[in-house]
Amino acid sequence: MSPLDWAVLFAVLGLFVVYGVWRGRGGRDLADFLLAGRSMPWPAVALSVMATQASAITFLATPGQGYVDGLRFVQFYFGLPLAMVMLCVTAIPIYRRLRVFTAYEYLERRFDAKTRSLAAGLFLLQRGLAAGLTIYAPALVLSVVLGWDVRWTCVLLGGLVTVYTTWGGSKAVTHTHVLQFLIIMTTMVAAFVIVLRSLPPGVTPGDAAFLAARAGKLNALQLRFDPNDRYNLWSGLIGGFFLQLSYFGTDQSQVGRYLTGRSVTESRLGLLFNGMVKVPMQLGILSLGVLVFVFHQFAPPPLFSNPVESARLATGPQASAYHAIASRHRAALAERETHVRSLLAARHAGDRRALADADGRLEQSRKDLAELRGETVALIRARDPSAQTSDTNYVFLAFVLAHLPVGLIGLVFAAVFAASMNSTSAELNALTSTTVVDVYQRLAHARVDARREVWVSRAVTVVWTAFAVGFAEYASRLGSLIEAVNILGSLFYGTILGIFLVAFLLPRVGGTAVFAAAIVAEVAVIACFWRTEISFLWFNLIGCALVVGAALALQPWIARRTAP
Amino acid sequence: MDTRPPGPADPARRPQLGDDEQPPSLPGGWRTLYAVVIGELLLVIAFCYWLTGRGR
């Protein structure tokens, strides 16, 4: 990166911290610190909700996913608008009317203390570990691309977030979310426009869509039902609906965002805005990846987008084999470009026969390139069996570094940091809320004064940051266990959602029945995870259905046993 | 042990309209807005179907 890019990067990071501290000033009590005084208008609620969900990996991996796999990932979000509507009808009015700080506080009022403790405990376990990965995953990518030490990158990310989250609490988090999210979106739109304008003369947006379609990248909808296929219409609509319902309805990192709204109306409008914008936004980010793919039909992409692994191959014992592959790669790319241009010429001429010929030759070129890539991955594995062999997360940044103008590169990196800070700050605020309201206040018995509660909350935020950064440092040594921690959310979300659905929709079911049902469901979901090949999105539905079904079955039996 | 008597009288069990709930200024109120959100989803799915068809 140029000195201007570094200046832009550090100026924007400094701006986030100063802005957060400034907007977070003046918090007097717990409602101010944990819920921004319940004072936010709906646009702030909406952007905060969206910023919380969109972590840095979303902005790194999603264009990469579009590049490699096309648009099919968009189906993952199809259930989200339906979940937003459901939550506007059920959860928001209840949470707001009871003036709760956390979703789990509601469970004690509705059921009993043990059910609240179970849900809060599952949340702290799952979200506490996830917060570490929210820091680690982008830190790993940034450290590779920027040449930094991953541990210090984690410390930098955690440190920046801690300053304003600890000082200003939820108010600082919401206001910085708005600023950060606007910068991220501006950067993405700028990148999209620049890629589009960088296509060779004579290649129109229609040609770009044609090339993407011919390469199978416009595969946005899969109608065939297959429970083992991660992304299709049905897993997105049904599994995704339950996942999003659980995430937005019962995960404090989201509940805490919309409870900052100044009224039921503001909270609802915030969620509905998210419901309208999220799916088109994801489609846009995936399309950016597809567009980068089309751009690379004319401009040579790197053989492997992870610069560290490429450099290791180029200078290590496999250097001669690597350079031989790189030479064949360059020749294959030149050949592919010729076929791509022939295909476009045939399209413009309306010559079906030439189109079919060019299509066949292009397909052969793609196979040759895929083989070369496979050989490169095999070399990486031969050098180090534990090395990263997927470069999806590096595709977009490799493009940014090679093709975006000076200044904008620094802004893109600032946007990646911003996205990581977005989700981390919301997670830390939610972990603090749950620890203070669901653990500390219950153990303290007597209420302490408001200012002391704010200082306790600040101390808890620092402790959770230290835990998250510490886990992020440790995560670099976990290897494949990282994936297991990522799946952790899906193992618990269904059960927690089931508890809340029973609370909202089945007034005759009591605490003991739902508690026992939750234990049964959790054991069953974990058994499904170990013993079956079912895609993880379905765990949300299975866990939820089991809690509801078992609670309904157990309630009459428990009622008879406890009847006087 | 669950000692609470189940029933709809508990305010935690049944949603009610709050004092701070203003319906949006649209004919049909919230229901219209919910229908708009779901309608837009259907449009996006239809667009995805059309996009996928272009690739066949």
Side-chain angles (χ1 to χ4, degrees):
Chain A
M1 290 210 301
S2 70
L4 178 63
D5 289 316
W6 285 109
V8 169
L9 171 61
F10 285 107
V12 175
L13 292 181
L15 172 70
F16 292 153
V17 175
V18 171
Y19 184 71
V21 170
W22 175 59
R23 294 306 300 254
R25 71 197 187 285
R28 292 183 305 275
D29 57 21
L30 216 51
D32 276 343
F33 192 82
L34 299 181
L35 294 179
R38 297 188 178 94
S39 62
M40 291 294 155
W42 73 262
V45 173
L47 293 185
S48 188
V49 161
M50 294 180 77
T52 298
Q53 190 179 23
S55 70
I57 282 298
T58 306
F59 289 102
L60 292 174
T62 308
Q65 190 118 25
Y67 184 97
V68 173
D69 209 19
L71 300 177
R72 66 195 287 261
F73 182 58
V74 72
Q75 298 168 106
F76 179 81
Y77 292 95
F78 282 170
L80 186 142
L82 305 174
M84 296 302 101
V85 170
M86 178 81 167
L87 291 170
C88 286
V89 174
T90 56
I92 289 181
I94 293 178
Y95 291 156
R96 295 286 316 199
R97 185 162 39 80
L98 296 174
R99 296 186 71 77
V100 292
F101 282 85
T102 71
Y104 320 110
E105 199 182 347
Y106 159 69
L107 290 179
E108 182 165 0
R109 302 201 196 183
R110 169 64 179 84
F111 294 124
D112 49 32
K114 65 177 180 296
T115 309
R116 172 186 182 178
S117 299
L118 175 68
L122 288 178
F123 170 74
L124 288 174
L125 169 69
Q126 178 257 328
R127 189 51 65 187
L129 296 176
L133 289 182
T134 308
I135 293 174
Y136 173 71
L140 177 65
V141 178
L142 288 167
S143 66
V144 165
V145 176
L146 296 174
W148 293 354
D149 183 284
V150 66
R151 284 169 297 181
W152 286 109
T153 313
C154 290
V155 171
L156 175 68
L157 271 170
L160 289 169
V161 173
T162 313
V163 175
Y164 63 84
T165 309
T166 304
W167 180 252
S170 188
K171 206 188 288 182
V173 170
T174 304
H175 284 294
T176 46
H177 273 169
V178 173
L179 177 67
Q180 289 165 335
F181 199 69
L182 291 176
I183 286 179
I184 292 166
M185 283 294 104
T186 307
T187 309
M188 284 288 172
V189 170
F192 195 95
V193 171
I194 287 170
V195 188
L196 207 53
R197 289 170 63 94
S198 303
L199 291 173
V203 178
T204 64
D207 290 334
F210 171 78
L211 290 175
R214 289 281 171 170
K217 303 291 180 188
L218 301 188
N219 51 347
L221 199 69
Q222 171 58 263
L223 292 171
R224 193 168 58 87
F225 177 79
D226 178 358
N228 298 326
D229 179 13
R230 193 166 284 185
Y231 309 120
N232 58 55
L233 175 67
W234 311 108
S235 70
L237 274 179
I238 303 169
F241 169 72
F242 282 93
L243 174 68
Q244 307 293 352
L245 199 59
S246 185
Y247 175 54
F248 284 94
T250 72
D251 188 313
Q252 183 60 26
S253 44
Q254 280 296 355
V255 174
R257 297 296 91 221
Y258 57 78
L259 287 184
T260 60
R262 68 164 80 108
S263 67
V264 170
T265 301
E266 305 292 323
S267 297
R268 274 180 169 163
L269 288 174
L271 279 194
L272 290 178
F273 182 83
N274 182 35
M276 291 196 74
V277 172
K278 182 74 183 179
V279 184
M281 185 188 92
Q282 289 300 131
L283 195 57
I285 297 174
L286 284 166
S287 301
L288 173 60
V290 173
L291 206 51
V292 171
F293 168 83
V294 173
F295 171 79
H296 277 315
Q297 303 301 298
F298 304 97
L303 178 54
F304 195 72
S305 292
N306 181 330
V308 168
E309 294 299 342
S310 298
R312 282 177 183 156
L313 280 184
T315 55
Q318 292 91 355
S320 58
Y322 173 73
H323 289 303
I325 294 174
S327 168
R328 285 161 58 208
H329 185 244
R330 279 191 294 276
L333 284 173
E335 194 177 311
R336 184 185 67 179
E337 188 184 338
T338 308
H339 298 326
V340 167
R341 288 188 184 277
S342 305
L343 189 73
L344 285 182
R347 178 184 187 236
H348 292 154
D351 184 341
R352 284 171 177 266
R353 189 167 173 176
L355 203 66
D357 283 351
D359 236 355
R361 286 196 296 271
L362 189 55
E363 188 55 37
Q364 186 54 48
S365 264
R366 289 201 179 108
K367 280 183 186 157
D368 295 344
L369 284 165
E371 269 177 33
L372 290 171
R373 195 181 154 74
E375 288 177 33
T376 311
V377 168
L379 275 187
I380 293 172
R381 280 216 185 94
R383 191 192 60 76
D384 176 5
S386 63
Q388 278 191 308
T389 52
S390 166
D391 62 348
T392 308
N393 290 344
Y394 298 91
V395 166
F396 182 56
L397 287 184
F399 167 80
V400 165
L401 282 169
H403 300 287
L404 288 199
V406 170
L408 192 58
I409 295 175
L411 196 61
V412 169
F413 277 87
V416 175
F417 270 93
S420 176
M421 292 160 79
N422 278 337
S423 27
T424 305
S425 59
E427 284 174 331
L428 292 175
N429 193 247
L431 287 164
T432 302
S433 303
T434 308
T435 308
V436 171
V437 174
D438 296 296
V439 180
Y440 172 75
Q441 282 187 343
R442 290 179 64 206
L443 294 177
H445 296 299
R447 289 296 297 266
V448 292
D449 71 89
R451 291 206 72 78
R452 189 174 163 195
E453 280 186 328
V454 171
W455 280 104
V456 167
S457 301
R458 286 182 174 141
V460 169
T461 307
V462 172
V463 170
W464 274 115
T465 310
F467 176 83
V469 172
F471 183 71
E473 305 267 334
Y474 183 62
S476 60
R477 280 173 275 163
L478 282 178
S480 62
L481 279 182
I482 293 171
E483 195 182 347
V485 177
N486 268 330
I487 294 171
L488 205 66
S490 289
L491 294 182
F492 294 139
Y493 270 158
T495 303
I496 298 178
L497 176 63
I499 296 173
F500 276 86
L501 282 189
V502 171
F504 292 143
L505 304 176
L506 301 171
R508 303 237 160 241
V509 176
T512 301
V514 82
F515 184 84
I519 301 289
V520 169
E522 196 50 60
V523 170
V525 168
I526 290 170
C528 278
F529 170 65
W530 286 114
R531 295 282 174 189
T532 71
E533 295 294 314
I534 296 173
S535 168
F536 74 91
L537 268 178
W538 294 102
F539 293 156
N540 300 286
L541 173 61
I542 293 167
C544 177
L546 279 174
V547 172
V548 174
L552 278 172
L554 286 170
Q555 179 57 35
W557 182 71
I558 289 170
R560 274 199 302 276
R561 281 177 62 93
T562 55
Chain B
M1 183 181 295
D2 184 15
T3 55
R4 291 180 182 215
D10 186 339
R13 292 173 192 237
R14 182 184 286 178
Q16 297 167 339
L17 284 180
D19 294 337
D20 62 354
E21 185 180 359
Q22 298 292 322
S25 51
L26 287 167
W30 286 111
R31 285 185 185 181
T32 305
L33 211 46
Y34 299 154
V36 168
V37 173
I38 294 168
E40 192 226 23
L41 171 67
L42 294 175
L43 279 178
V44 172
I45 291 175
F47 177 66
C48 289
Y49 180 77
W50 175 77
L51 270 181
T52 307
R54 285 194 62 159
R56 290 202 183 105

Short mmCIF file of all heavy atoms in Angstrom, two decimals, chain A residues 8 113 173 252 263 311 392 408 454 482 490 499 523 559:
data_model
loop_
_atom_site.label_atom_id
_atom_site.label_comp_id
_atom_site.label_asym_id
_atom_site.label_seq_id
_atom_site.Cartn_x
_atom_site.Cartn_y
_atom_site.Cartn_z
N VAL A 8 -4.89 7.11 5.02
CA VAL A 8 -6.35 7.00 5.00
C VAL A 8 -6.81 5.95 6.02
O VAL A 8 -7.73 6.18 6.81
CB VAL A 8 -6.85 6.64 3.58
CG1 VAL A 8 -8.33 6.26 3.60
CG2 VAL A 8 -6.62 7.80 2.62
N ALA A 113 -36.52 -18.91 36.94
CA ALA A 113 -35.11 -18.50 36.95
C ALA A 113 -34.22 -19.51 36.23
O ALA A 113 -33.26 -19.13 35.56
CB ALA A 113 -34.64 -18.32 38.39
N VAL A 173 -21.78 2.46 20.53
CA VAL A 173 -21.82 1.35 19.56
C VAL A 173 -22.77 1.69 18.42
O VAL A 173 -22.43 1.55 17.23
CB VAL A 173 -22.26 0.04 20.27
CG1 VAL A 173 -22.54 -1.07 19.26
CG2 VAL A 173 -21.19 -0.42 21.25
N GLN A 252 -28.76 -11.80 22.16
CA GLN A 252 -28.74 -10.47 22.75
C GLN A 252 -27.96 -9.46 21.90
O GLN A 252 -28.23 -8.26 21.95
CB GLN A 252 -28.15 -10.53 24.17
CG GLN A 252 -28.12 -9.22 24.92
CD GLN A 252 -29.50 -8.61 25.12
OE1 GLN A 252 -30.50 -9.33 25.14
NE2 GLN A 252 -29.58 -7.29 25.26
N SER A 263 -39.14 3.72 20.59
CA SER A 263 -40.51 3.22 20.75
C SER A 263 -40.64 1.90 20.02
O SER A 263 -39.73 1.49 19.27
CB SER A 263 -41.51 4.23 20.17
OG SER A 263 -41.33 4.30 18.77
N ALA A 311 4.04 -16.76 -1.87
CA ALA A 311 5.44 -16.39 -1.67
C ALA A 311 6.23 -17.57 -1.11
O ALA A 311 7.39 -17.79 -1.49
CB ALA A 311 5.52 -15.19 -0.73
N THR A 392 -10.53 -18.14 -0.94
CA THR A 392 -11.75 -17.37 -1.20
C THR A 392 -11.73 -16.02 -0.49
O THR A 392 -12.11 -14.99 -1.05
CB THR A 392 -12.99 -18.17 -0.71
OG1 THR A 392 -12.93 -19.46 -1.29
CG2 THR A 392 -14.27 -17.50 -1.12
N LEU A 408 -8.25 4.82 -2.34
CA LEU A 408 -9.42 3.95 -2.17
C LEU A 408 -9.00 2.61 -1.55
O LEU A 408 -9.77 1.99 -0.81
CB LEU A 408 -10.12 3.73 -3.51
CG LEU A 408 -11.50 3.08 -3.43
CD1 LEU A 408 -12.46 3.89 -2.57
CD2 LEU A 408 -12.10 2.88 -4.81
N VAL A 454 -22.86 1.34 36.12
CA VAL A 454 -22.22 1.70 34.85
C VAL A 454 -20.73 1.32 34.89
O VAL A 454 -20.20 0.75 33.93
CB VAL A 454 -22.39 3.21 34.55
CG1 VAL A 454 -21.54 3.63 33.35
CG2 VAL A 454 -23.85 3.52 34.29
N ILE A 482 -11.62 -24.50 14.82
CA ILE A 482 -12.28 -23.21 14.53
C ILE A 482 -13.62 -23.45 13.85
O ILE A 482 -14.61 -22.81 14.16
CB ILE A 482 -11.37 -22.35 13.64
CG1 ILE A 482 -10.13 -21.96 14.42
CG2 ILE A 482 -12.09 -21.11 13.14
CD1 ILE A 482 -9.08 -21.29 13.58
N SER A 490 -25.18 -22.80 15.50
CA SER A 490 -26.32 -23.55 14.97
C SER A 490 -26.74 -24.67 15.90
O SER A 490 -27.90 -25.08 15.89
CB SER A 490 -25.97 -24.14 13.60
OG SER A 490 -25.89 -23.12 12.67
N ILE A 499 -37.40 -22.34 23.03
CA ILE A 499 -37.79 -21.82 24.35
C ILE A 499 -38.59 -20.52 24.17
O ILE A 499 -39.65 -20.33 24.78
CB ILE A 499 -36.54 -21.56 25.22
CG1 ILE A 499 -35.81 -22.88 25.52
CG2 ILE A 499 -36.93 -20.86 26.52
CD1 ILE A 499 -34.47 -22.68 26.24
N VAL A 523 -29.71 -32.35 23.37
CA VAL A 523 -29.03 -33.65 23.23
C VAL A 523 -29.30 -34.21 21.83
O VAL A 523 -28.38 -34.71 21.15
CB VAL A 523 -29.53 -34.64 24.32
CG1 VAL A 523 -29.03 -36.05 24.05
CG2 VAL A 523 -29.07 -34.16 25.70
N ALA A 559 -48.13 -31.02 34.88
CA ALA A 559 -49.25 -30.34 35.55
C ALA A 559 -49.97 -31.31 36.48
O ALA A 559 -50.36 -30.94 37.60
CB ALA A 559 -50.21 -29.79 34.50
#
